[in-house]
C-alpha cells in the first residue's frame, strides 16, 4: 500500500478541526480529566508576552498549589489552548509547519498519573480507529537521552520498533529546551515527541536522516509529552544545574491541533485544511489573483495572520505602539504588505474576519460577539498602513533619484524602508527595477539579521517571545521611586533617554516619578514632563522589573541624562482611579451575588472604561446584573473612605484580603480596602484586595456606575464591561439621546419603538421578495429563451454572452444558470451595469477554462474587480459593454 492509499483509507479522514478539538477533550474526559477553559492569549505570568503553551496557566499546580478550580477539584485536567509564538513568524507562509497562532491540545496531571499512562493515552488517541486512526506503523518518537523508562513503554507496551525511536539531548528533548543549563527556573523535565511519517510524497528522507538534520517535511512532529519532575533553581557554584525534585511528578502534554488535522484530513499543509482553505478562496476572490506560484506565499500569510490577529484582538489586546499591542500590529502590517502585493490597495483583511469567526466559533463562541469590534480595529489599522505605505513610496522615489548613475540601492536603505515604512523587500525590488535599479539583497539580509538578533536578546523564555528592545538597556538601572499614589506632580532626575519603538519618540527613565506604570490591569499614566528649556508629552508608562519607562514625545528642547524634570500626571488619572476602585467593588459584588467561586481572570482599568473577566459558567440573569449594579451603587452612595496600606503578606491573608490566583506576591504587600460594608440580603459585604493600583479617596468619588455588558470570553470565563463617573453619565445621556432620535425618525415615541420596528421589518421583507420576483422576470424577458445571447467560438470554447439591464446579485447568477442550460455553451458570461457573472461547465473546466481568471480580466475592462472559482466567478462592475468588449482578447 502506498502512503496515500493508506491515509485515504483512514476511517476518520473527514473530521474537521473542530471535530478533532472536541474529540480530544472528550477522550481525556473519558479518562477522568476535568475539561477546563484555556487561558486567554495574554500570558498568565510575566515570563512571556503571550500564552505559548497549555501548561502555562498551571504552573502553580505543578509547583504544588492545590488543584482546585472553579469547575471543581481534579488532579487531571485537559484544555484547548490558543498559543501565540512570534518566534515562528518568519516561517509562516514559507515553511508550512508553523503558525503564529495555533491550538495546543493538552492533558495534565498534577501528581496523579505519570509517564506510562501519558504515553499509553497519546498512543490510543492517535492510533485507535475510533479516534484519530493514525497508521501505527508510521509512528515515530524521540526521547530524552537517558530516559530508558520512556523507551520501555514505547517499545514494550505499544510495540514501537526500536529504529522508530531516537534519543536527543536537552536541546531537543527537555522542556523548556535546554532548561537544565540555561533556565528558566521553575518546573521542567524530559520530554518525548511524537512524529508521524507523512510518506514519500513529502520527501525521500529517512528517520535516520531526521536524527542528523532535525529538519523534515516528511516526519511531522504532532505531540510533545513532557514529564515535569524537577524544579530548576539556578546553577550551583560549579556551574551545574540545581534540579530539585518537584513535590510530585507531573504530566504536561501539547498536541498541535492544526498539525493533527493535516494528517487526519490528508492535506499537504494547513492552508488546504477545513479552516484555512475557505480563507484562501476568499483572498483569491477579493484580489482576483489565483492561489499559485510565488505569490501564493502572500495568500498564506494573509490567511494565517488574519486568523491570529482576529483571535488576539478578540481576547482584548488593543493595537498599540508598545508591548503586546505593538507585536500584533506588526503581524497585521505584515499581512497588509502581502495584501498590497496582491494588488489589494484598499482595506480588505477585515473582510476575512467573519470567515475566521465562522470557522473558530465552535471552540471559541465568544468570537461572535467580538466580530464587529475586531473588524473595526483591523480596518482602521489597514487604513493607517496604506497611508504609511504612501509615505514609503515617496521615500523610495527620493532615494532612487539620489542614486545618480550607481543603479544599486543599498541594503541598509532597503531595510530602513522595511523597518520604518513596512515596505517589503520584494516591493522595493519591484519599484527599483522599474527604474533600472538593483537592490543589494545581501546587505538587506545582514541588516535584517542584526535587527532580529537585537529582538531575540530581549527573550526571557528560552524561545524569544519578548520583543522589548528596551529590556536590555535598562537592566542595570536602579529601581524607580514611585510616588504617584498620593502625588500627581513630582520632580526627578533623568537616568536614561533611549530611542522608542515609535520614530521620533523617546523612552525616558526617571529616578522618581508620579506616573503609574501599566500593571495589575491598570493602564499606564499619561501627562506632561517639563524641564529647563523644554517640555514633552508622556504618552504611556510601563515598567520592566522596577524600572519605569516613560514614552515621551518631545515638544520643545532636548532631554538629556542628568537633567532635572517635573512630571505632571494628566487628568485621565482621576477617571482611572474611579474605574479601579469600581473594579474592586464590582469584584466584591460579584462574589456576594454569584458566590465565592468567582475568581478574577483578568481586568482592564482605563480612563474611559473598565473590563473585568471572571470565572463563571452561566450568563448573568437580569436580576443578578441588577443586584450587582445596585450593590456597587450602594457603596458609592455610602461614601466610605478607601484606605491603602502595606503589610506583611501573612497579615493581609489573615485579614481576608482577596489575592489574585496565579499572581506572585512579595513578602510585603499593598492592601486596598474600603472602610465600610454594604448589606446584601442581610449579609455584610466588604471589599479588601491585594493591589498595587491607584484608587479614589472615598467611594463617593466614583460618582456613577453602570454595567454595560456581560458576555462569554472563553469556556467558563465571562467578561463584564462597566463605566464609572463622567464616562457612565455620558454613556447614559448618549444612549437616551440616540433612543429618542431613533424614535422620532420613525415617527413614534421611545415606548412605541419595538412595535414600529417589527411592522417595518415585515414590510421590508415583503417588498424584497417582490423586487426579486420583478428582477427575475426582467432577466427572463431580456433573455428571450436564450435567443438574445451572442454565441461564438472563442479560444476553443463555445461561449454565450449576454448583457442585461437592471439585474444584479442572485438574479444575475440565476440567469447565468439558465443560459448555461438554454444555450448548451461551455462558458456563459452575463453582464449588467452592476455586476458580472461567468460560469463554466465541468467539461470546460477539465479542458482548462477558468471562470475566476476570466472574470478578473473582464472586470478590469468593466471598471471593477473580482475573481472566484474555476467553475463560477463574479465581480462588481460599472460598465457592462466594456466588460463584454474584452471577451475576445481575454479568451484568445
Ligand atoms: P517545532 O520544533 O515543530 O517548532 P516545538 O518543539 O516548538 O515544535 P512544542 O513547544 O513542544 O513544539 O509544542 C507542542 C506541539 O505544538 C508540537 O508538537 C506541535 O505539534 C505544535 N506546535 C508548536 N509550534 C507550533 C506552531 N508554531 N504552529 C503550529 N503548531 C505548533
Ligand atoms: Mg517551535
Amino acid at each position: 500500500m502506498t502512503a496515500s492509499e493508506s491515509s485515504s483509507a483512514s476511517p476518520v479522514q473527514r473530521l474537521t478541526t473542530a471535530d478533532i478539538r472536541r474529540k480530544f477533550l472528550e477522550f481525556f474526559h473519558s479518562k477522568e480529566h476535568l475539561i477546563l477553559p484555556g487561558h486567554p492569549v495574554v500570558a498568565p505570568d510575566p515570563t512571556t508576552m503571550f500564552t505559548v503553551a497549555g501548561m502555562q496557566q498551571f504552573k502553580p499546580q505543578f509547583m504544588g498549589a492545590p488543584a482546585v478550580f472553579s469547575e471543581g477539584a481534579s488532579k487531571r485536567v485537559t484544555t484547548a489552548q490558543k498559543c501565540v509564538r512570534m518566534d515562528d513568524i518568519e516561517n509562516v507562509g514559507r515553511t508550512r509547519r508553523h503558525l503564529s497562532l495555533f491550538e495546543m491540545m493538552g492533558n495534565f496531571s498534577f501528581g496523579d498519573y505519570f509517564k506510562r499512562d501519558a504515553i499509553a493515552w497519546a498512543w490510543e488517541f492517535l492510533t485507535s480507529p475510533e479516534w484519530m486512526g493514525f497508521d501505527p506503523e508510521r509512528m515515530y518518537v524521540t526521547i530524552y537521552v537517558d530516559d530508558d523508562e520512556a523507551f520501555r513503554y514505547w517499545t514494550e507496551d505499544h510495540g514501537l520498533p526500536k529504529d522508530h525511536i531516537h534519543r536527543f539531548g536537552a536541546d531537543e528533548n527537555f522542556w523548556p529546551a535546554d532548561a537544565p543549563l540555561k533556565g528558566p527556573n521553575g518546573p521542567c523535565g524530559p520530554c518525548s515527541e511524537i512524529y508521524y511519517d507523512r510518506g514519500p510524497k513529502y520527501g525521500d528522507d529517512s528517520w535516520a536522516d531526521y536524527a542528523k538534520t532535525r529538519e523534515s517535511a516528511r516526519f511531522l512532529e504532532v505531540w510533545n509529552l513532557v514529564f515535569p519532575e524537577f524544579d530548576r533553581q539556578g546553577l550551583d557554584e560549579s556551574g551545574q544545574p540545581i534540579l530539585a525534585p518537584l513535590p510530585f511528578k507531573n504530566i504536561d502534554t501539547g498536541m498541535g491541533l492544526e498539525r493533527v488535522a493535516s494528517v487526519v484530513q490528508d492535506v499537504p499543509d494547513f492552508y488546504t485544511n477545513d479552516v484555512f482553505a475557505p480563507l484562501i478562496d476568499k483572498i483569491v476572490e477579493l484580489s482576483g489573483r489565483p492561489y499559485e506560484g510565488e505569490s501564493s506565499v502572500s495568500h498564506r500569510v494573509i490567511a494565517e495572520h488574519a486568523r491570529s490577529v482576529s483571535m488576539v484582538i478578540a481576547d482584548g489586546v488593543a493595537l498599540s505602539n508598545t508591548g503586546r499591542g505593538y507585536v500584533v500590529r506588526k503581524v497585521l502590517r505584515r499581512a497588509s504588505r502581502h495584501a498590497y502585493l496582491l494588488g489589494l490597495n484598499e482595506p480588505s483583511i477585515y473582510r476575512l474576519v467573519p470567515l475566521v469567526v465562522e470557522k473558530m466559533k465552535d471552540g471559541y463562541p465568544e468570537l461572535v460577539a467580538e466580530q464587529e469590534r475586531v473588524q473595526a480595529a483591523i480596518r482602521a489599522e489597514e487604513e493607517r498602513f496604506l497611508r504609511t505605505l504612501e509615505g514609503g513610496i515617496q521615500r523610495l522615489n527620493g532615494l532612487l533619484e539620489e542614486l545618480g548613475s550607481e543603479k544599486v540601492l543599498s541594503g541598509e536603505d532597503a531595510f530602513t524602508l522595511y523597518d520604518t515604512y513596512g515596505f517589503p523587500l520584494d516591493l522595493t525590488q519591484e519599484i527599483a527595477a522599474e527604474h533600472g535599479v538593483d537592490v543589494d539583497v545581501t546587505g538587506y539580509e545582514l541588516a535584517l539579521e542584526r535587527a532580529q538578533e537585537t529582538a531575540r536578546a530581549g527573550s526571557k523564555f528560552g524561545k524569544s517571545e519578548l520583543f522589548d528592545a528596551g529590556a536590555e538597556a535598562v537592566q542595570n538601572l536602579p529601581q524607580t521611586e514611585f510616588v504617584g499614589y498620593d502625588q500627581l506632580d513630582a520632580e526627578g532626575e533623568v537616568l536614561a533617554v533611549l530611542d522608542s519603538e515609535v520614530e521620533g519618540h523617546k523612552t525616558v527613565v526617571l529616578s522618581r516619578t508620579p506616573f503609574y506604570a501599566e500593571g495589575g490591569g491598570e493602564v499606564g499614566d499619561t501627562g506632561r514632563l517639563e524641564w529647563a528649556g523644554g517640555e514633552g508629552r508622556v504618552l504611556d508608562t510601563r515598567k520592566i522589573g522596577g524600572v519605569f519607562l516613560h514614552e515621551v514625545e518631545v515638544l520643545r528642547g532636548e532631554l538629556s541624562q542628568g537633567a532635572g524634570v517635573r512630571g505632571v500626571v494628566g487628568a485621565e488619572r482621576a477617571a482611572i482611579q474611579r474605574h479601579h476602585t469600581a473594579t474592586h467593588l464590582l469584584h466584591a459584588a460579584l462574589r456576594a451575588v454569584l458566590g465565592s467561586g468567582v475568581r478574577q481572570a483578568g481586568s482592564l482599568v482605563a480612563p474611559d472604561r473598565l473590563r473585568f473577566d471572571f470565572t463563571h459558567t452561566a450568563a448573568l440573569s437580569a436580576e443578578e446584573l441588577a443586584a450587582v449594579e445596585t450593590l456597587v451603587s450602594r457603596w458609592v452612595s455610602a461614601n466610605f473612605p478607601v484606605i491603602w496600606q502595606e503589610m506583611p503578606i501573612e497579615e493581609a491573608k489573615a485579614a481576608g484580603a482577596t489575592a489574585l490566583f496565579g499572581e506572585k506576591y512579595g513578602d510585603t504587600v499593598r492592601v486596598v480596602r474600603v472602610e465600610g460594608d454594604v448589606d446584601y440580603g442581610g449579609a455584610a459585604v466588604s471589599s479588601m484586595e491585594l493591589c498595587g493600583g491607584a484608587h479614589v479617596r472615598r467611594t463617593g468619588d466614583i460618582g456613577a456606575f453602570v454595567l454595560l455588558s456581560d458576555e462569554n470570553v472563553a469556556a467558563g470565563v465571562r467578561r463584564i464591561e462597566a463605566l464609572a463617573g463622567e464616562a457612565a453619565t455620558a454613556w447614559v445621556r448618549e444612549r437616551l439621546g440616540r433612543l429618542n432620535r431613533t424614535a422620532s425618525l420613525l415617527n413614534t415615541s421611545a415606548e412605541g419603538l419595538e412595535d414600529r420596528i417589527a411592522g417595518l421589518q415585515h414590510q421590508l421583507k415583503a417588498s424584497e421578495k417582490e423586487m426579486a420576483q420583478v428582477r427575475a422576470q426582467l432577466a427572463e424577458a431580456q433573455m428571450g429563451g436564450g435567443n438574445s445571447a451572442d454565441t461564438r467560438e472563442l479560444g476553443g470554447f463555445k461561449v454565450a454572452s449576454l448583457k442585461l439591464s437592471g439585474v444584479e446579485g442572485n438574479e444575475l447568477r440565476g440567469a447565468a444558470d439558465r443560459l448555461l442550460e438554454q444555450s448548451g455553451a461551455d462558458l456563459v458570461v452575463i453582464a449588467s451595469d452592476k455586476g458580472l457573472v461567468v460560469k463554466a461547465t465541468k467539461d470546460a473546466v477539465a479542458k482548462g477554462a477558468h471562470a475566476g481568471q476570466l472574470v478578473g480580466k473582464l472586470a478590469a475592462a468593466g471598471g471593477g474587480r473580482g475573481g472566484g472559482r474555476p467553475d463560477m466567478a463574479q465581480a462588481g462592475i460599472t460598465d457592462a459593454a466594456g466588460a463584454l468588449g474584452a471577451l475576445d482578447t481575454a479568451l484568445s
Side-chain angles (χ1 to χ4, degrees), residues 97 195 197 202-203 205-207 209-210 213-221:
R97 275 183 308 126
Y195 289 72
D197 177 6
Y202 292 92
D205 49 340
S206 67
W207 179 243
D209 294 335
Y210 176 74
T213 60
R214 303 188 186 191
E215 261 311 318
S216 173
R218 172 171 175 165
F219 295 92
L220 180 66
E221 179 195 332

Side-chain angles (χ1 to χ4, degrees), residues 764-777:
L764 189 64
K765 243 193 208 133
S767 338
E768 273 169 358
K769 217 165 153 189
E770 220 167 283
M771 277 293 293
Q773 274 164 5
V774 170
R775 278 200 304 261
Q777 279 163 11

Side-chain angles (χ1 to χ4, degrees), residues 85 87-88 97-98 102 175 221 259 463:
R85 289 193 181 176
D87 52 352
D88 289 333
R97 275 183 308 126
H98 289 101
F102 67 99
W175 210 90
E221 179 195 332
R259 292 193 187 171
K463 298 177 178 180

Side-chain angles (χ1 to χ4, degrees), residues 60 93 166 170 226 233 313 325 408 462 496 603 668 687 758 781 792 800 853 890:
H166 193 85
V226 187
Q233 299 172 347
I313 296 178
V408 178
S603 75
T668 308
S687 162
R792 281 180 296 158
Q853 286 168 8

Side-chain angles (χ1 to χ4, degrees), residues 507-535:
T507 299
V508 180
V509 180
L510 304 177
S511 59
R512 187 165 176 272
T513 184
F515 293 97
Y516 181 82
E518 178 188 345
E522 183 176 326
V523 300
D525 273 338
T526 56
R528 270 188 354 259
L529 278 192
E530 300 168 357
W531 60 94
E535 62 181 325

